[in-house]
Amino acid sequence: MSHYHLCLRNGNLKGYTMARPRKPRFVDGLELPDNLYTDPKKRNNYWRYIRPDGSILTFYATTVEAIRQAKQANRQRELYKRQPAANETLWTARAGSLLDRYSDWVTWMEINHPRQATSARWAQKRRYVERMCEQLRNPMPSDLTLAKVREWWESQDYHPQRNSRAALRSFVNYLMLEGAVPKLSFNPFNTSDEAPKLIPRQRPPKIRQRLTITNFWRIYDKAGELGYEGLQIAMELSLLTTMRRGDVCSLRLDAHVSDEGIDKGVEKSINQRGEERATYLRWSYDKHPELRPVMDRARELSLRNYGCPFAVSYQPKRRQPRANQHEHWCRLMPSRVSNQFREAREAAGVCSDLPSNARPTFHEVRALASHLLKKSGHSPEAIAEICAHTDAEITENFYLSGHEREYVNVGINIDSKLLNRK
């Protein structure tokens, strides 16, 4: 008999401690899952989530949404629970494994679809497939079942599902044509209603506040006080042309700007449709005279920034070499535009009473431009064309909605004689 059982028999358990069961924690009558805690500062609807490495993620959400996100994160942790052996890694592409087949798919795509495989989004699409192989623990394709794929799919949030579905559909189609997934009778990532498919998550409600023209100029003026003249030019260009952040930052004075105006291809359209079918826009100074002083200011800024060929530029504190020889060390990159916009917005006190994920970002300048075009009397179809949207419904739902309410004047009424009452 062990020493513990002898002590238990004699009633002497001094020195032995037993782990107490975890006491359930409730907020608003709902039990909190593991790793989710309330905010120590007692801020309403702020939460803390303990990551696997011990770091803390602080985020803003309702109680129900915070519990949902925490449960989803816990499910993802379960996928990583099994640790690989010392001589094995997640990227070990065993012969015939899912990662091995992934390499074959990449080669096949680059040979048979060279235009798609050389687009700017190709690297991101490859990463989506790599991530699925990684999180599924690189199984053999013959072991891939609908239950395993569904478990992994439902552990993802809305945006990862939406962004990766096309790449995953292409990869599984290739596997099915090769006969490598006999346990999958259909492609679970298809979008047709005529065949079974995995159900994506519902799109979360938009909580980001729209940018008003008053707040636009408040941020614009504060950017000038902070010395962010490149950001001011970027804001003006996006407002006057509805250009995306990437298009504004890639606008070159030597290639896209002339004495007559601006000629620019929409990068997102080029990546999606190819150069032949993409949308190319022209803003002439005759029809858009307000653009001329903006471009003159961009040229002056370019001269001060060592002849930077890009319309938006700045001088970093330390010169860093660019990986691309066609770029310039004074180029204002999209990520820095967003950071400067956020800094100017916070300094101006715009929407400071809202949580950080609800405050307007630089992309809201584009939505504000679309809204002002509609108020100027232009149709949603015309606005959709310059925004390079596939149809006007996208413009209506994601760019024109959420601004001030529009009331329709009611011009009909009931004949008072029919009311049978004075």
Side-chain angles (χ1 to χ4, degrees):
M1 184 178 294
S2 66
H3 183 258
Y4 170 79
H5 288 91
L6 287 173
C7 293
L8 179 63
R9 183 176 182 180
N10 298 331
N12 181 17
L13 288 176
K14 186 177 181 180
Y16 289 93
T17 59
M18 300 181 64
R20 295 182 179 179
R22 184 182 296 274
K23 184 178 180 180
R25 298 169 292 116
F26 294 89
V27 173
D28 298 335
L30 302 174
E31 184 176 356
L32 299 183
D34 293 341
N35 307 309
L36 180 65
Y37 299 90
T38 55
D39 182 55
K41 299 180 181 179
K42 308 298 182 183
R43 293 177 296 180
N44 190 28
N45 287 341
Y46 276 87
W47 304 89
R48 291 186 305 154
Y49 183 81
I50 309 300
R51 297 189 180 100
D53 60 357
S55 61
I56 297 176
L57 170 66
T58 302
F59 64 100
Y60 179 90
T62 62
T63 304
V64 175
E65 178 64 16
I67 292 175
R68 186 194 70 79
Q69 294 185 22
K71 288 182 176 179
Q72 174 188 329
N74 290 339
R75 287 195 298 269
Q76 291 179 342
R77 295 171 87 146
E78 290 297 323
L79 295 175
Y80 287 94
K81 204 167 187 180
R82 183 184 71 85
Q83 296 295 329
N87 58 350
E88 178 189 2
T89 66
L90 293 177
W91 301 104
T92 301
R94 304 185 306 274
S97 66
L98 204 60
L99 278 172
D100 191 22
R101 290 289 187 169
Y102 156 75
S103 301
D104 297 338
W105 170 72
V106 171
T107 304
W108 184 86
M109 285 289 294
E110 292 177 349
I111 294 175
N112 294 275
H113 296 271
R115 183 178 301 172
Q116 181 181 359
T118 55
S119 65
R121 296 194 61 202
W122 175 235
Q124 185 61 57
K125 290 180 179 179
R126 291 176 55 179
R127 177 56 191 149
Y128 290 143
V129 180
E130 287 178 357
R131 186 186 62 180
M132 183 188 71
C133 299
E134 173 189 353
Q135 295 181 353
L136 288 176
R137 294 293 166 183
N138 190 24
M140 301 299 291
S142 57
D143 297 333
L144 207 59
T145 62
L146 178 61
K148 293 181 180 179
V149 176
R150 181 181 178 183
E151 180 185 5
W152 171 81
W153 175 257
E154 294 181 350
S155 69
Q156 308 298 308
D157 211 341
Y158 166 78
H159 292 289
Q161 287 182 349
R162 176 178 177 269
N163 296 335
S164 63
R165 187 162 194 160
L168 298 177
R169 180 170 62 250
S170 174
F171 177 56
V172 175
N173 274 340
Y174 173 79
L175 294 179
M176 297 184 75
L177 290 173
E178 294 288 318
V181 283
K183 295 183 180 180
L184 290 180
S185 57
F186 61 91
N187 191 337
F189 300 107
N190 73 77
T191 56
S192 174
D193 292 332
E194 299 178 358
K197 61 181 179 182
L198 293 175
I199 306 300
R201 290 186 179 275
Q202 184 178 3
R203 185 184 183 95
K206 183 180 178 64
I207 63 173
R208 192 165 65 237
Q209 187 75 16
R210 289 297 192 189
L211 184 65
T212 63
I213 190 63
T214 302
N215 287 337
F216 172 88
W217 291 117
R218 288 176 59 188
I219 298 174
Y220 180 90
D221 295 336
K222 184 58 66 173
E225 297 176 10
L226 296 173
Y228 295 157
E229 188 175 359
L231 173 62
Q232 289 183 315
I233 295 175
M235 292 176 64
E236 289 178 309
L237 284 173
S238 183
L239 183 69
L240 296 175
T241 65
T242 71
M243 282 189 191
R244 293 175 175 85
R245 181 189 63 172
D247 289 316
V248 170
C249 294
S250 63
L251 183 66
R252 295 181 66 101
L253 298 172
D254 56 351
H256 305 127
V257 182
S258 64
D259 295 335
E260 288 76 25
I262 301 174
D263 297 337
K264 184 72 168 67
V266 181
E267 291 187 353
K268 185 176 182 180
S269 178
I270 294 174
N271 294 333
Q272 292 180 347
R273 307 176 189 175
E275 294 185 356
E276 292 81 4
R277 301 172 54 197
T279 300
Y280 294 87
L281 302 174
R282 171 173 294 168
W283 293 270
S284 63
Y285 292 147
D286 294 337
K287 295 182 178 180
H288 303 273
E290 61 277 357
L291 280 175
R292 186 185 292 274
V294 177
M295 300 317 301
D296 290 342
R297 185 181 178 190
R299 288 191 177 92
E300 295 176 0
L301 183 62
S302 170
L303 294 176
R304 297 199 303 268
N305 291 336
Y306 302 93
C308 180
F310 293 92
V312 289
S313 58
Y314 83 116
Q315 287 191 28
K317 296 181 180 179
R318 184 175 59 182
R319 178 169 181 171
Q320 296 180 354
R322 297 290 188 188
N324 190 340
Q325 295 180 356
H326 298 287
E327 295 183 1
H328 193 275
W329 66 284
C330 289
R331 178 188 178 184
L332 191 57
M333 302 299 288
S335 58
R336 189 170 293 276
V337 167
S338 296
N339 293 336
Q340 290 184 356
F341 184 88
R342 180 173 61 252
E343 184 179 347
R345 182 197 65 203
E346 299 301 323
V350 173
C351 300
S352 57
D353 56 330
L354 297 177
S356 57
N357 59 344
R359 298 167 189 171
T361 62
F362 183 86
H363 190 73
E364 290 300 325
V365 178
R366 176 174 160 89
L368 173 62
S370 302
H371 171 65
L372 295 179
L373 285 172
K374 182 180 180 181
K375 292 188 67 176
S376 302
H378 302 286
S379 66
E381 290 76 14
I383 301 173
E385 183 178 2
I386 67 170
C387 289
H389 290 157
T390 54
D391 52 53
E393 184 179 356
I394 297 177
T395 309
E396 284 278 8
N397 294 336
F398 300 108
Y399 286 83
L400 299 180
S401 62
H403 298 278
E404 64 263 23
R405 296 177 180 175
E406 297 181 1
Y407 294 89
V408 178
N409 290 322
V410 180
I412 60 175
N413 56 3
I414 301 175
D415 189 348
S416 59
K417 295 179 182 180
L418 300 176
L419 297 177
N420 295 328
R421 194 178 183 90
K422 292 184 180 179

